[in-house]
Amino acid sequence: MFDITPTNARQWSRLGSRGVFGQAILAVAENNPEMIVISADLGNSSGLDRFKKTYPDKFLNIGIAEQNMIGVASGLAKEGFNVFATSFAPFISMRASEQIRMNLGYMEMNVKAVAIGSGISMAFLGNSHYGIEDAAVMRSIPNLTVVSPADCAEIFKVVEAASKFKGPMYIRLTGAVNNPPVYTEDYQFEIGRAITLKEGYDINIVACGTMVYESLEAAKILEEQGISVGVVNMHTIKPLDAQVINKIIRKSKLLVTIEEHSVIGGLGSAVAEYACQFKDIPPQLRLGLPDAFGKTGEYRYLLEKYGLVGSKIAENIKIFFNNLKC
Amino acid sequence: MDKMSYSEIVDMAKLMRLKMLEISYNCASSTHLGGGLSMTEMMACLYARILRHDKKNPRWEGRDRFILSKGHGVLGYFSALVSAGIISDEIYNTFQTNESDLIAHPVMNLNLSIESSNGSLGQGLSMAVGIALAAKKKNAAFTTYVLMGDGECNEGSVWEAVMSAGQLHLDNLVAMVDYNKFQSDGVADQIMNLGDLANKFRAFGWDAHDIDGHNIIELVNSLEAPKVEGKPRVIVANTIKGKGVSFMEGNNEWHHNRLTKANFDLAVAEVSNSAITLER
């Protein structure tokens, strides 16, 4: 259906997460007669323009009404359709959070709620459009699986896996155009199974979404300084892959979590909540967006401002790590 | 399913009211009696005559779907299910006991013919829109019914759903509004006046019927009227909150309240000797 190659990875990166989501859903729909994709009037912005031309009967623009979108999606799912409901992250995760709680959580309807442009990739559109609390809200709803792919290749993997997955899911798409790829060749992907990209013995980083690539960059810098750093792609934020956490907390002097999300309630919190039950665990440094509505700017500018690029991540980890030694 | 006559439906409504009073009293806690009693004739008509269902096979694919959007109306819902023989007395009598499947709001349970979980207002119509749309896509012949409250129509999501049903031309969808003109805190038009509700639906492309919601003939006629091509139907059923029990009628203290022995005895006597007949 799709081949992960260096060339494709480069092309997908140029297309960005929304365009690739559109391609992935188009590819998956071909073998999925029951699929329906709903948008709350953001079809074009969500990379779905080709999808709606190719499959007019499988596409529904429900209007600017996210609450109704989730209800309609659940009614379709109840009757056997495989439904993807899409909108920008804050609107689908929070405007319709109670509908997601009732229909997807409580009734376990087979709906995939897809959050486009989560994190801070909306740049100058500002805080109204940022998805900085969505993982926290969605993670707290029982029965909901929460997934955040690391790059464009993983968006293909997630969409394909989600189309076969029976049950409700929240898919958190981060990144804009030109986010560098993590994957340039095929790999095994499974919902709920974290991927250890690099083993390390001093520090282990657990990341999701765009921060997986930045963590690898940070690890490289720290390795050059003689610190052994591991990186885990925790693409499934809920349920958390406990096995991988169990393994790394035994061998790390420091655990780091990184996410393009508020430091409150997301991946960092999930890891901390899990790890705190054990004795003699390493300290955890939670990196992410601050608990604040700040001034806005270009995407890359904001990532740098909040220390979410490889060099800054390395710098901050090193300071924290050195202070630990004192 | 044998269709009941009008007078049999009147009798079923009376039985339903007695059943509601009985489990309300027996569960020894507050229940939503006012809104349960106002919807009684609507539910009796649906389960006695309108809904296609198979009580031996509640999951039958061809069944009509019913969603109680005003989730607190479970007394009117469960009493209809037990009176129609869909759930047993044994299950019915577990109402509001620990671990029961029957609580103060519906919990989805297809084996008991409960199609959806509700309780958070303003959500049922959206799901019904999705089900009706699915039926169109599958060329399935069933009809989707949803019962809403008037207070519930304060929720913006209701109007999102109303708009979408009109836009999608869902003539296989029937919404009923229990327009009893009270909500939790009091008189509806003093809290959030809905005005001419039927015309509001018409403006969004619906076939709207404005009727007496306790009149079996008007209810059946509007439910059985030929569908208007391309238009969802709404039945704005003007009702009396607490209908059938003199001290509850129009008295919003019975929105959610607990029966004493004296209340219970009086209510049962009034319903048993009910003057509610086949109104013509």
Side-chain angles (χ1 to χ4, degrees):
Chain A
M1 190 173 67
F2 61 93
D3 293 319
I4 304 175
T5 62
T7 311
N8 281 346
R10 267 198 306 278
Q11 279 181 358
W12 293 337
S13 166
R14 279 199 292 274
L15 204 54
S17 57
R18 298 184 200 185
V20 166
F21 168 69
Q23 278 199 358
I25 203 92
L26 190 70
V28 166
E30 198 177 335
N31 297 316
N32 201 322
E34 307 303 334
M35 181 175 284
I36 291 185
V37 179
I38 315 183
S39 171
D41 203 36
L42 290 169
N44 296 342
S45 309
S46 308
L48 295 168
D49 38 355
R50 267 185 68 201
F51 185 91
K52 63 183 180 181
K53 279 181 201 133
T54 312
Y55 298 112
D57 293 341
K58 290 174 185 278
F59 179 79
L60 173 64
N61 183 348
I62 201 71
I64 308 164
E66 295 80 10
Q67 299 175 74
N68 187 42
M69 174 172 72
I70 296 300
V72 171
S74 82
L76 286 161
K78 188 167 190 298
E79 298 302 324
F81 286 96
N82 188 0
V83 190
F84 283 70
T86 64
S87 187
F88 290 160
F91 313 144
I92 195 164
S93 67
M94 284 181 284
R95 187 77 169 242
S97 66
E98 212 210 336
Q99 276 77 10
I100 291 184
R101 177 175 181 266
M102 287 295 290
N103 293 279
L104 276 57
Y106 200 24
M107 288 190 262
E108 298 185 66
M109 290 299 166
N110 187 26
V111 175
K112 311 298 176 289
V114 183
I116 311 288
S118 193
I120 48 177
S121 64
M122 294 288 196
F124 285 113
L125 294 183
N127 284 293
S128 64
H129 282 54
Y130 293 173
I132 56 180
E133 315 89 341
D134 58 332
V137 177
M138 294 293 101
R139 199 169 70 77
S140 64
I141 295 176
N143 294 327
L144 209 59
T145 294
V146 180
V147 178
S148 183
D151 71 353
C152 290
E154 199 155 273
I155 291 174
F156 276 104
K157 294 278 193 189
V158 168
V159 170
E160 188 185 21
S163 72
K164 294 173 186 161
F165 184 93
K166 292 272 179 247
M169 186 184 288
Y170 181 76
I171 300 174
R172 180 171 197 263
L173 300 181
T174 55
V177 292
N178 294 324
N179 275 72
V182 173
Y183 295 103
T184 53
E185 58 188 54
D186 197 23
Y187 66 104
Q188 284 293 315
F189 176 89
E190 196 182 323
I191 302 284
R193 275 283 165 84
I195 298 165
T196 301
L197 294 167
K198 191 177 168 310
E199 300 270 355
Y201 297 92
D202 293 320
I203 297 170
N204 270 288
I205 304 176
V206 180
C208 63
T210 47
M211 290 302 108
V212 175
Y213 174 84
E214 302 301 337
S215 299
L216 289 166
E217 290 295 292
K220 257 189 241 167
I221 295 167
L222 293 168
E223 292 271 352
E224 281 163 12
Q225 297 170 23
I227 305 169
S228 166
V229 182
V231 176
V232 171
N233 170 14
M234 189 66 77
H235 49 70
T236 304
I237 299 174
K238 183 185 175 185
L240 206 61
D241 187 338
Q243 276 185 349
V244 167
I245 305 285
N246 289 346
K247 193 175 153 198
I248 58 176
I249 55 176
R250 298 290 165 217
K251 64 178 186 181
S252 310
K253 294 176 188 139
L254 171 65
L255 201 57
V256 182
T257 49
I258 315 185
E259 58 201 310
E260 195 180 320
H261 182 277
S262 166
V263 288
I264 296 175
L267 175 67
S269 297
V271 170
E273 286 158 16
Y274 176 75
C276 71
Q277 66 188 301
F278 299 108
K279 267 168 58 176
D280 304 326
I281 54 167
Q284 180 183 334
L285 170 62
R286 287 178 302 130
L287 297 176
L289 295 163
D291 176 29
F293 292 117
K295 291 271 193 185
T296 59
E298 288 170 350
Y299 182 41
R300 198 72 200 168
Y301 168 84
L302 291 174
L303 289 177
E304 296 212 9
K305 174 178 169 174
Y306 293 122
L308 297 179
V309 294
S311 55
K312 292 275 177 68
I313 291 168
E315 201 178 308
N316 286 327
I317 290 176
K318 188 145 187 221
I319 292 167
F320 192 89
F321 189 58
N322 286 341
N323 285 342
L324 279 179
K325 285 182 177 169
C326 296
Chain B
M1 183 182 83
D2 294 332
K3 288 191 171 183
M4 281 191 197
S5 67
Y6 293 162
S7 56
E8 284 171 326
I9 301 174
V10 172
D11 289 342
M12 176 166 160
K14 185 188 278 190
L15 176 67
M16 283 170 57
R17 286 197 166 88
L18 292 171
K19 289 268 185 196
M20 284 186 224
L21 291 166
E22 194 181 287
I23 55 167
S24 284
Y25 181 65
N26 288 342
C27 76
S29 58
S30 289
T31 56
H32 288 104
L33 269 162
L37 291 167
S38 63
M39 64 196 261
T40 308
E41 277 73 21
M42 302 159 78
M43 296 303 291
C45 286
L46 283 175
Y47 279 90
R49 185 162 171 128
I50 303 297
L51 291 177
R52 283 178 301 180
H53 62 86
D54 177 355
K55 53 188 170 191
K56 290 192 183 128
N57 180 15
R59 291 169 176 265
W60 170 46
E61 188 59 33
R63 72 191 184 277
D64 287 334
R65 276 43 165 184
F66 172 76
I67 288 176
L68 180 67
S69 188
K70 50 169 277 186
H72 56 286
V74 287
L75 290 177
Y77 189 14
F78 299 159
S79 65
L81 292 174
V82 72
S83 301
I86 295 169
I87 59 170
S88 66
D89 277 305
E90 194 187 355
I91 290 174
Y92 183 71
N93 289 330
T94 66
F95 178 68
Q96 288 195 182
T97 56
N98 292 335
E99 306 281 337
S100 172
D101 289 327
L102 305 185
I103 56 168
H105 296 99
V107 179
M108 187 172 76
N109 187 331
L110 294 184
N111 293 330
L112 299 181
S113 289
I114 301 170
E115 296 277 350
S116 72
S117 298
N118 287 89
S120 168
L121 292 175
Q123 298 201 24
L125 187 58
S126 291
M127 191 182 196
V129 167
I131 294 172
L133 180 61
K136 289 270 180 196
K137 286 186 175 290
K138 296 195 294 190
N139 285 321
F142 66 80
T143 301
T144 301
Y145 295 83
V146 58
L147 176 60
M148 302 188 289
D150 50 356
E152 179 177 20
C153 293
N154 294 175
E155 293 279 4
S157 55
V158 166
W159 299 100
E160 294 182 3
V162 169
M163 265 187 277
S164 64
Q167 177 74 24
L168 296 165
H169 303 296
L170 298 175
D171 52 15
N172 57 352
L173 173 68
V174 177
M176 304 175 86
V177 181
D178 180 12
Y179 202 0
N180 65 30
K181 301 169 190 73
F182 280 94
Q183 52 198 90
S184 184
D185 263 6
V187 178
D189 68 9
Q190 290 171 11
I191 294 164
M192 195 51 61
N193 190 0
L194 295 171
D196 187 345
L197 200 51
N199 261 335
K200 287 185 168 67
F201 278 84
R202 280 189 196 107
F204 286 117
W206 288 58
D207 167 37
H209 298 231
D210 204 340
I211 64 158
D212 174 353
H214 297 300
N215 185 314
I216 300 296
I217 298 171
E218 284 189 38
L219 277 165
V220 170
N221 284 348
S222 55
L223 285 163
E224 289 185 345
K227 71 179 176 189
V228 178
E229 201 69 28
K231 288 190 175 197
R233 172 168 301 165
V234 64
I235 294 163
V236 177
N238 291 278
T239 58
I240 293 167
K241 198 162 179 175
K243 176 75 174 177
V245 179
S246 63
F247 62 88
M248 292 184 194
E249 285 193 6
N251 177 1
N252 216 43
E253 281 179 20
W254 289 95
H255 174 81
H256 191 240
N257 206 341
R258 186 169 174 175
L259 288 165
T260 62
K261 178 77 168 77
N263 294 147
F264 174 68
D265 289 342
L266 179 57
V268 167
E270 284 190 11
V271 171
S272 301
N273 303 316
S274 172
I276 304 174
T277 54
L278 188 58
E279 292 165 32
R280 288 179 190 275

